[in-house]
Amino acid sequence: MSMLWTRTPTPRSTIGSPPVAPSSPEAGRQPAPPATPTGRLGPAAADGEGGDRGGTDHSGTDHSGTDRGGTDHSGTDHSGTDRGGAGTTVAAAALVGLLLLPFLPLVLASLSQGYFHPQLLPETWSLRAWRLVLAPGAGTWVALRDSLVVAAGVTLVSLVVAVPAGRVLGTRSFRGRRAVEVVLLLPVLVPGIAVAIGLHVTFLRLGLAGTLPGVVLVHLVPATPYVVLLSAGVFANADLGLEDQARTLGANRRQVAWSVTRPLVAPGLAVAALFGFLVSWGQYATTLVVGGGRVVTLPILLFASAAGGDTAVTAATALVHALPAVALLVATARILGRDVPTLGGAR
Amino acid sequence: MSALLSDQVRRWSRDDTVRTWARLAPALVLVGVLFGGAVWSASSRSLGVGAIGSPGPSLDAYRRLLGDPEFWPSVALTTHVAVTSTLLSVALGVGAALLLRRVHFGRRSLTTLFQFNLPIPHVIGAVAILLLLGQSGFISRLTAGLGWTAAPADFPALLYDPYAVGVIVQYVWKEVPFVGIVALAILRAAGDDLETAAATLGASAWQRFRFVTLPVLLPGVLSTAIIVFAFSFGTFEVPLLLGASYPAVLPVLAHQRYTDVDLANRPEAMALAVVVTLIVIVVVLVGAALARRAVRRAGA
Amino acid sequence: MAGGPDPRDWPAVLAAADGTTVDLHMWGGSTEINAFVDEVYGPALAELGVELNRVPVADTADAVNVVLGELEAGRTDPGSGVIDLIWLNGENFATMRQADALLASGWAEHLPNAAFVDWDDPAVAFDAGRPVAFTTSPWGSAQFQFVADTARTAPQELPRSYAELAEWIRANPGRFTYPAPPAFHGTRFLTQWFHELDGDPDAWVEAFDEDRYTEVAEELFALLEELAPALWRGGATYPNEIADLDRLFANGEVDLTFTQLPAGIGANIDAGVLPATARPFVFDTGTIGDHHYLAIPVNATDPAAAMVFADLVLDPVRQAIKLDPANGWGDGIAVSPDRLDTEQREAIDAVTAGLGDQAVPPAELEAVRTSNPGAELTVRLEADWDRRIRQGRTG
């Protein structure tokens, strides 16, 4: 059994493939914090070993998405993982189909009018809901703008604090590292409603309640830890030895940072930033309480719409809310996909 | 090493430590102030400190909370939702990973599509499930079309029901890809040399899973399970949309008490916030300790 | 600027409002109403240099809480609040009045278009049993009606009183429910039932009789408890909002829903929210009709802009537009026909004449109209409903 552990499964090019983007919380939260939830696979994954996080994949990325000829370990057929035929494909397709099924009534409802039971396909197709939702004066645009502004603010601030912190967490071993990781993990796990309730009165007194900056601040609570811990993973996996080599060759610090470090970590940090963005994008409870109804982001608008009886409009609003998130995910995947060979490929 | 050199080393490590903590400081301060501030504020207000005209710290709010007839049913429901969602997500997620791992034709597209609903915010998922599983929802219309049900009332009540089925379905729907992707990544990184070896030695599929695959997955999946639990316990918007009127889950209860026009209920709302926070923290720490023990045992 | 701008000097108010934004917090649960406000009032305001920021709230009480929270946090000075205007009535009005959160300068009396409002009418001058005293300005009026689907239920089968409704529920188990109080329509539904059992709705407008309340409430809740198993989902859960009830109704899960629109449900049918065969009706024993208002918080930042908006909506032409369901709303008028000139009155009459059977005839509405009771009654009913019905606790 001990054989299993000596082989320290290094998550190579973890940031390589279509990243697992989280919406509200999890996907980013996952095994990345190796301290508390023990992500380590075993004693061989010792501290300080270039920050090997013992096999737990930071961004839970899936390599199969970008099978870059040969980087896939289990690509070749092993009897241990019987490569399935059409049967497994069908089963997997059914699984995926089930997961995507809920979007179907959403799309259908958005394109219909009077879509009551028992109509399976709408009797009356109509663009009314989309026209209402996308109308120039509709609340959708304001909500979209506010959601974007807040999420961008959250992403920016968390990146700024996450880069130095992540570098240190990912590459150095020091006393108290585990404690830091725990401290960073808690805000992600604690219910947002509790945090929002806790902060609200103070924000009221500070005049932050009902303002965009106030909402940005409260979103930072769940978002920053994600970005920090993911950045840690990025730095852990980056081949930072190249920095020393560059310096040996005479490059000064700025040149090193720009020409060596940046290409190494930028794609991964982009993923971390994406996570931060998505955490903020999907926040409801925190925006509801701290925004005080005055800051209307897309989740707030969507919820109000769901309570408002016009199912078609609600469905259309939901799709508007979902689109940027999915688009961002796809875009990042494409960016990262291109850079995979340069990313930790040396490992 | 000469004394001079060791001094030098010591200075380097001291500088290093300073630099380390300096680099960590912004993040820690940011999180500390905001999160710590929230916890501190909720805690002190729950003890009655800081409110206008309050006589001083007291456990009144907590006493009232524990005596609140909706509190204990709420705890039970919330725990049920969280535990069930976690167990189902983990089981199905790992199963999905094992399945996807074996897919040959179309693996890349299927795996990509598998992750599709990860960036989807929960509010959207809740609305989608609402339209899908309601008694007059899409599935109900399908069964009506097939002649299995006639009126909406013939379709089982999966939403607003006492077991929070709709809520659990929504959580599982979101978390299965999450758990699945993590499991896939772990399995990919681990490679299947050992499983091959085990198979060569005559181990059955079940034995291979139980003694080779599972231990590899366990640590990562356990930590993922903790996260899923914390999340299912603390989410607010999904039960608000898909849950029954009574009892409300703890996060919804906290919000109700907080937005009550009667401001005297504020301390109780704060107490609820504190209680919910504590429960999650305790579960996380206990779960992490258990996970560590399991890993150690498996690694022996 | 103690007491806010003085509308008697209207040009000054217009000047002060020019270039500002009015932050209107109103219930956002109806896409059609939202669109109406944006499209009908927005451009008109823009012409006056005022930008409309319509902030949808899920529950008016949320907006009230924001103001109360601000006041509690010490932000009481004019210009320190985030809300300029709240659409409210009833309990929410009472709450703000009690907390002295309303701009109480009597501004509503002196708006130019206030001339069209009959402030002598108790239906306007009193809200939830309290004198409005010009602290809020009327926007429109509403009356509670029931809605049935003629394709499913013949008119003669419909209940015409709460007593008949109880029978109807027993005869059609699982086919009826109501939004959980304190949702607006749920509370009103409950209050009307209370009134029918009590027999004297007017008595509750200004006074609250504790003994009488206990007696009637006991009867009411005992009845509700007895009927609960015959409700939708066996009474184990109730829809949160009127929109949820509308959805159940439209999809055939229940057979009745409610509306507040005096001009009928034409707008809802056009929007595809209610089936085309749906028709409103009232109980012979009475349904509550009242006005709804616009309130300016005492710490509003742009009270001048708020006053401009409040005045704008009282314009008789726009009131007629609001009345017509074809424009997306169908809300009742707040202006008194007696105070309008011939042309304005004709515009309103034309709308009323063209309503068809998607509305209850105005004469019938008026015949069964009862007053909105004092807030004490509704608040008690909500609390007791929550305890006895939602939580299932007896006593």
Side-chain angles (χ1 to χ4, degrees), chain A residues 20 60 62 78 83 99 200, chain B residues 107 111 173 181 192 194 223 258:
Chain A
V20 167
D62 169 49
H78 290 155
R83 193 102 316 202
L99 286 175
H200 186 229
Chain B
R107 168 136 61 115
T111 316
W173 175 79
I181 290 301
D192 50 9
L194 282 161
S223 41
Y258 187 68

Side-chain angles (χ1 to χ4, degrees), chain B residues 52 68-70 130 134-136 141 151-153 157-161 240 243-246 248 256 259-261 263 266, chain C residues 61-62 64-65 68-69 72-73 95 175 180 232-233 236-240 244 247-248 251-253 386 390-393:
Chain B
I52 305 172
D68 189 329
E70 194 171 359
L130 183 72
Q135 281 183 306
S136 53
R141 300 171 194 213
L158 300 172
L159 304 180
Y160 324 117
D161 67 305
L240 194 62
S245 312
Y246 181 88
Q256 279 175 359
T259 52
D260 203 328
V261 191
L263 291 174
R266 282 280 166 95
Chain C
D62 295 338
V64 172
N65 277 341
L68 294 183
E72 191 202 7
T95 308
R175 306 296 305 172
W232 176 75
R233 292 293 180 92
T237 187
Y238 295 84
N240 284 330
D244 300 314
R247 230 191 313 256
L248 292 177
N251 279 304
E253 294 191 49
D386 191 82
R390 189 182 76 95
Q391 296 187 41
R393 293 190 281 152

Side-chain angles (χ1 to χ4, degrees), chain B residues 213-262:
Chain B
T213 320
L214 198 55
V216 170
L217 285 173
L218 202 60
V221 167
L222 267 180
S223 41
T224 313
I226 294 171
I227 293 167
V228 171
F229 180 89
F231 186 75
S232 314
F233 196 87
T235 302
F236 167 73
E237 56 263 38
V238 177
L240 194 62
L241 203 57
L242 302 178
S245 312
Y246 181 88
V249 298
L250 288 172
V252 173
L253 198 62
H255 183 254
Q256 279 175 359
R257 296 286 184 273
Y258 187 68
T259 52
D260 203 328
V261 191
D262 183 4

Side-chain angles (χ1 to χ4, degrees), chain A residues 1 3-5 7 9 18-27 29-31 36-38 40-41 55 57 60-65 67 72-74 78-86 88-89 91-93 95-96 98-106 108-109 115-120 157 161 164-165 167-169 172 174-175 178 180 183-184 186-187 189-191 193-195 197-203 205 217 220-221 224 228 278 281-282 284-285 288-289 299 302-303 306 311 314 318 321-322 325-326 329, chain B residues 16 19-21 23-24 26-28 30-31 34-35 37-38 41-42 45 50 96 99-105 107-108 110-124 127-129 131-132 135-142 144 150-152 173-178 181-182 184-186 188-196 199-200 208 211-212 215-216 219-220 223-224 226-227 230-231 234 236-237 240-241 251 254-255 258 266 269-270 273 276-277 280-281 284-285 288 291-292 295 298-300:
Chain A
M1 233 352 152
M3 245 177 69
L4 181 63
W5 311 120
R7 188 186 182 299
V20 167
S23 72
S24 226
E26 320 79 37
R29 277 180 184 164
Q30 37 77 0
T36 312
T38 32
R40 347 207 110 234
L41 266 188
D57 198 83
T61 48
D62 169 49
H63 297 240
S64 70
D67 282 332
D72 184 6
H73 271 251
S74 40
H78 290 155
S79 55
T81 52
D82 299 315
R83 193 102 316 202
T88 32
T89 305
L95 167 70
V96 168
L98 267 181
L99 286 175
L100 295 176
L101 183 63
F103 292 105
L104 184 58
L106 214 55
L108 290 176
Y115 182 39
F116 307 130
H117 187 282
Q119 300 170 33
L120 193 60
V157 174
V161 307
R167 188 186 180 111
V168 154
L169 277 175
R172 305 205 196 165
F174 56 92
R175 196 138 47 107
R178 182 162 297 196
V180 169
V183 164
L184 284 176
L186 286 180
L189 298 176
V190 168
I193 189 73
V195 171
I197 288 177
L199 284 178
H200 186 229
V201 183
T202 315
F203 274 27
R205 270 179 229 273
L217 283 175
L220 280 171
V221 174
T224 313
V228 170
L278 286 174
W281 186 256
Y284 179 72
L288 182 70
V289 174
L302 178 57
F303 215 91
T311 313
T314 305
H321 187 24
V326 177
L329 174 62
Chain B
D16 247 15
R19 203 172 315 148
T20 301
W21 287 99
R23 293 243 174 93
L24 283 172
L28 287 177
L30 184 67
V31 169
L34 289 174
F35 178 68
S41 180
R45 275 176 229 278
L99 173 65
L100 281 170
R101 191 171 68 138
R102 293 180 44 198
V103 170
H104 182 50
F105 306 113
R107 168 136 61 115
R108 192 189 311 196
L110 282 176
T111 316
T112 311
L113 284 175
F114 179 66
Q115 308 173 48
F116 186 80
N117 60 10
L118 278 170
I120 306 293
H122 278 268
V123 198
I124 298 176
V127 172
I129 296 289
L131 295 181
L132 185 72
Q135 281 183 306
S136 53
F138 192 73
I139 305 285
S140 167
R141 300 171 194 213
L142 259 175
W173 175 79
K174 272 285 292 176
E175 309 297 355
V176 160
F178 170 47
I181 290 301
V182 168
L184 263 180
I186 295 175
R188 196 128 306 203
D192 50 9
D193 300 352
L194 282 161
E195 286 166 313
T196 320
T200 323
R208 285 202 303 273
F211 296 108
V212 178
V216 170
S223 41
T224 313
I226 294 171
I227 293 167
F231 186 75
F236 167 73
E237 56 263 38
L240 194 62
L241 203 57
H255 183 254
Y258 187 68
R266 282 280 166 95
M270 299 291 179
V276 160
T277 306
V280 169
I281 292 182
V284 166
L285 291 179
R292 228 169 313 177
V295 168

Side-chain angles (χ1 to χ4, degrees), chain C residues 355-382:
Chain C
L355 287 177
D357 64 349
Q358 287 177 348
V360 174
E364 193 179 335
L365 278 180
E366 193 171 337
V368 301
R369 187 177 307 150
T370 62
S371 310
N372 196 14
E376 289 88 355
L377 177 62
T378 50
V379 168
R380 277 296 288 277
L381 281 172
E382 286 171 355

Side-chain angles (χ1 to χ4, degrees), chain B residues 1-15:
Chain B
M1 200 188 291
S2 80
L4 202 63
L5 213 50
S6 57
D7 272 344
Q8 185 83 303
V9 170
R10 227 166 308 169
R11 216 172 312 139
W12 286 337
S13 12
R14 213 185 14 225
D15 287 341

Side-chain angles (χ1 to χ4, degrees), chain A:
Chain A
M1 233 352 152
S2 59
M3 245 177 69
L4 181 63
W5 311 120
T6 51
R7 188 186 182 299
T8 51
T10 308
R12 298 151 58 255
S13 53
T14 50
I15 315 298
S17 16
V20 167
S23 72
S24 226
E26 320 79 37
R29 277 180 184 164
Q30 37 77 0
T36 312
T38 32
R40 347 207 110 234
L41 266 188
D47 275 4
E49 200 192 86
D52 184 287
R53 305 254 127 186
T56 50
D57 198 83
H58 292 278
S59 46
T61 48
D62 169 49
H63 297 240
S64 70
T66 50
D67 282 332
R68 294 258 154 194
T71 58
D72 184 6
H73 271 251
S74 40
T76 45
D77 206 291
H78 290 155
S79 55
T81 52
D82 299 315
R83 193 102 316 202
T88 32
T89 305
V90 167
L95 167 70
V96 168
L98 267 181
L99 286 175
L100 295 176
L101 183 63
F103 292 105
L104 184 58
L106 214 55
V107 172
L108 290 176
S110 75
L111 294 170
S112 66
Q113 177 152 336
Y115 182 39
F116 307 130
H117 187 282
Q119 300 170 33
L120 193 60
L121 287 179
E123 273 169 13
T124 320
W125 296 92
S126 160
L127 284 175
R128 186 191 134 266
W130 283 103
R131 247 181 280 129
L132 267 174
V133 165
L134 296 177
T140 323
W141 299 108
V142 174
L144 183 66
R145 182 200 69 200
D146 282 354
S147 282
L148 280 174
V149 166
V150 169
V154 170
T155 309
L156 200 64
V157 174
S158 28
L159 257 186
V160 163
V161 307
V163 170
R167 188 186 180 111
V168 154
L169 277 175
T171 56
R172 305 205 196 165
S173 70
F174 56 92
R175 196 138 47 107
R177 184 169 87 170
R178 182 162 297 196
V180 169
E181 287 167 343
V182 171
V183 164
L184 284 176
L185 192 56
L186 286 180
V188 151
L189 298 176
V190 168
I193 189 73
V195 171
I197 288 177
L199 284 178
H200 186 229
V201 183
T202 315
F203 274 27
L204 268 176
R205 270 179 229 273
L206 293 173
L208 283 171
T211 65
L212 283 175
V215 174
V216 169
L217 283 175
V218 77
H219 284 193
L220 280 171
V221 174
T224 313
Y226 262 105
V227 182
V228 170
L229 293 171
L230 284 172
S231 303
V234 173
F235 280 103
N237 283 301
D239 191 357
L240 294 173
L242 292 172
E243 286 179 328
D244 296 330
Q245 293 180 29
R247 218 163 303 146
T248 325
L249 292 172
N252 66 32
R253 194 166 321 169
R254 194 177 317 165
Q255 288 171 319
V256 171
W258 183 254
S259 313
V260 180
T261 323
R262 192 183 52 91
L264 272 180
V265 299
L269 289 180
V271 175
L274 170 69
F275 276 39
F277 184 91
L278 286 174
V279 167
S280 171
W281 186 256
Q283 286 289 305
Y284 179 72
T286 46
T287 316
L288 182 70
V289 174
V290 171
R294 172 146 164 89
V295 174
V296 180
T297 53
L298 279 171
I300 304 283
L301 186 72
L302 178 57
F303 215 91
S305 175
D310 196 333
T311 313
V313 167
T314 305
T317 312
L319 290 170
V320 168
H321 187 24
L323 229 51
V326 177
L328 211 55
L329 174 62
V330 169
T332 315
R334 203 159 295 175
I335 298 174
L336 295 182
R338 239 185 289 125
D339 287 341
V340 161
T342 66
L343 246 197
R347 292 217 175 189

